[in-house]
Amino acid sequence: MITHFSELRRANGGPFPARRATEALFCCQLAISFAFGRWIPPALPVGFNTTGQRVWESWADWRCDPTTAHIKWLDTHRSEDLRAVVTAFLRHWRRRSTRDVVWHLAHHCISANQPDMPLEARIMLTGSAFEYLSWVNYVLTGKRSRSAHKKLPAADLLRELLRDASIPESLPSQFAALRRIQKNHSTDGPESLFWMRNRLVHPKDRGEPYRINEALLQAWQLSMHYLDLLLLRQIGYSGHYLPRLVVGGWAHDSTPVPWATPSTST
């Protein structure tokens, strides 16, 4: 079912080749899919020349997910936020150096939000995204040597990313199951998350870490909360988002991203 129509134009009003249109459409699909937490494709795109004649169309087999059972960070009552994230994606898509990071992180976010994927796999996927982003931001930029970076625990790498984005590191109080599964009852989010990730691979016994109900679910929720925000920070987004950490509440209880100033979040 088609619900919206859109028009793709150059900012200066000039024409552009079909190849660039295809690239832009893929970028828009990635941005919108990331915003809604599921694959949403453009449908039946057509191109017109300067005289209004149809000269191009695409019948590509785009991936499209069901509309239910996907959690999203986007507040659908705020259309300006969707426009902002699509604009930010397109801006980063223009440069190869930033395109790859946005592409890979968005793909991790969308894939880890698929309800038919086991929670264990989703947690592994988000963990690899954190380590990828840390390597890109601190090693490939020359801020840290490869050898020094490899010596740091994964929790420290995630903690560094969160601090640079002004994202709170503490474990939300409602995540009691994730806190109880550790002997030291840690209240640190990155430590709790990577403790779970490591125990999924190397448990001390066959029942660990499945003894505490909802611990696995909460680890996935926390990892998606971090990954959503880190990608939004990476593209320079400063609007609102729906926190995954809130239990109950209203469907549109969105809040400004942690790094936004009052003037950019209204």
Side-chain angles (χ1 to χ4, degrees):
M1 180 178 65
I2 298 176
T3 59
H4 294 77
F5 290 92
S6 62
E7 187 175 17
L8 181 65
R9 289 180 178 268
R10 279 191 184 275
N12 62 8
F16 53 92
R19 177 182 59 82
R20 299 302 299 273
T22 302
E23 292 178 358
L25 286 172
F26 178 75
C27 179
C28 289
Q29 182 201 24
L30 200 65
I32 295 172
S33 298
F34 164 59
F36 284 90
R38 58 185 175 85
W39 287 108
I40 301 177
L44 308 177
V46 296
F48 299 89
N49 62 15
T50 55
T51 63
Q53 294 179 313
R54 181 186 297 185
V55 295
W56 174 84
E57 60 185 23
S58 175
W59 294 79
D61 186 18
W62 299 81
R63 177 175 176 179
C64 183
D65 286 334
T67 59
T68 58
H70 293 84
I71 301 174
K72 62 181 182 301
W73 64 261
L74 179 73
D75 182 351
T76 53
H77 280 190
R78 292 177 51 86
S79 60
E80 65 271 27
D81 288 341
L82 180 59
R83 181 168 57 250
V85 76
V86 172
T87 300
F89 262 71
L90 286 169
R91 184 172 60 251
H92 283 72
W93 204 257
R94 295 171 57 188
R95 299 191 302 273
R96 190 68 188 180
S97 59
T98 55
R99 175 192 300 186
D100 289 339
V101 178
V102 170
W103 186 349
H104 293 309
L105 286 181
H107 198 276
H108 278 74
C109 285
I110 301 165
S111 299
N113 200 47
Q114 296 298 315
D116 57 349
M117 180 183 291
L119 287 173
E120 293 88 342
R122 297 189 230 177
I123 293 172
M124 297 295 179
L125 193 57
T126 56
S128 66
F130 298 139
E131 296 195 56
Y132 165 81
L133 181 59
S134 180
W135 186 269
V136 167
N137 282 358
Y138 302 119
V139 176
L140 298 188
T141 58
K143 295 179 180 179
R144 182 181 297 131
S145 69
R146 293 170 179 257
S147 58
H149 193 86
K150 291 179 179 180
K151 294 178 182 179
L152 296 174
D156 287 350
L157 299 178
L158 175 55
R159 199 174 291 113
E160 183 178 37
L161 289 169
L162 297 179
R163 289 173 181 171
D164 286 350
S166 302
I167 301 172
E169 308 161 31
S170 58
L171 189 63
S173 58
Q174 62 266 36
F175 279 16
L178 190 57
R179 184 177 304 176
R180 283 166 46 211
I181 203 169
Q182 297 187 77
K183 292 183 179 180
N184 63 350
H185 300 285
S186 173
T187 59
D188 179 82
E191 180 181 345
S192 300
L193 184 58
F194 277 99
W195 184 95
M196 175 65 76
R197 198 277 302 266
N198 294 338
R199 287 301 188 276
L200 288 173
V201 181
H202 303 293
K204 292 184 177 180
D205 59 65
R206 295 175 181 83
E208 190 184 35
Y210 300 97
R211 293 194 186 90
I212 306 298
N213 290 335
E214 297 189 349
L216 201 62
L217 174 62
Q218 290 179 6
W220 168 72
Q221 289 176 301
L222 182 63
S223 67
M224 289 300 299
H225 169 73
Y226 288 157
L227 191 52
D228 284 342
L229 286 177
L230 287 173
L231 177 48
L232 289 172
R233 174 62 172 172
Q234 191 76 15
I235 64 175
Y237 173 85
S238 58
H240 282 58
Y241 78 107
L242 292 169
R244 291 175 180 263
L245 309 181
V246 177
V247 178
W250 299 96
H252 299 282
D253 282 343
S254 59
T255 183
V257 291
W259 55 88
T261 61
S263 60
T264 59
S265 61
T266 57

